[in-house]
Amino acid sequence: MAQTKLDWQPRQYPLEPMAVLCKQRQFKPMVKRLLGWSATKQNALQGLHFKQTLMVLIGKAETLPWLPGCIYFGKDHLAPNLMMPTLLTPTISADIVQFSVTQKLGSGLYLIDPTEQQILPLHQARQIQAAYLESLLT
């Protein structure tokens, strides 16, 4: 099956942030920022990393750390299994995108990165803890 590039356009109304994606240059600064947080604040987030250059944090808008250069994601009411950029929407209906993703990858929660045209599975996200964060810096 051929892969299709998903085109994006500005969203009329931003989605409420529920996740943040930190890539390459923002990865280590984000980990260091989180290590400075209390255990209570860390535990309010779930996260996972892909390699040593990509991290996704999931939580309520007020618990998410803010760092320039990171991309923030929310859920479109038409596609509750997808985390999509808060400021962008696909040029085709979000429910069709969700149908395509779940047909190919199965049920679960997925994040769609518009810049890299990749889909990240979020089903393995776990509560953030200091030991986990410290392991990411080694």
Side-chain angles (χ1 to χ4, degrees):
M1 178 189 311
Q3 299 240 343
T4 305
K5 181 179 183 267
L6 187 58
D7 292 318
W8 298 85
Q9 61 191 8
R11 186 177 286 279
Q12 185 174 4
Y13 300 103
L15 296 174
E16 180 179 357
M18 300 175 72
V20 58
L21 174 64
C22 304
K23 299 180 190 180
Q24 298 150 350
R25 292 182 20 210
Q26 293 85 20
F27 183 86
K28 285 190 178 184
M30 181 61 84
V31 171
K32 290 177 182 177
R33 175 173 288 181
L34 293 171
L35 280 169
W37 284 16
S38 69
T40 303
K41 282 183 77 174
Q42 291 173 0
N43 292 339
L45 298 172
Q46 290 188 325
L48 67 162
H49 74 282
F50 302 87
K51 305 179 186 176
Q52 287 297 109
T53 60
L54 206 60
M55 176 172 42
V56 178
L57 300 169
I58 304 166
K60 295 180 180 177
E62 62 272 10
T63 65
L64 290 174
W66 293 90
L67 187 69
C70 293
I71 305 171
Y72 292 83
F73 294 81
K75 288 184 181 179
D76 186 307
H77 71 282
L78 293 175
N81 290 45
L82 300 180
M83 292 279 194
M84 292 194 278
T86 58
L87 301 176
L88 298 174
T89 188
T91 55
I92 60 174
S93 181
D95 59 335
I96 294 172
V97 175
Q98 177 175 281
F99 177 79
S100 297
V101 169
T102 56
Q103 284 294 108
K104 184 170 178 106
L105 301 175
S107 63
L109 183 62
Y110 298 95
L111 182 142
I112 300 181
D113 177 2
T115 58
E116 301 296 327
Q117 292 288 312
Q118 64 183 344
I119 300 169
L120 302 173
L122 301 180
H123 62 274
Q124 292 184 355
R126 301 289 179 256
Q127 192 174 41
I128 296 292
Q129 297 177 344
Y132 167 73
L133 295 170
E134 288 169 358
S135 74
L136 297 177
L137 293 176
T138 58

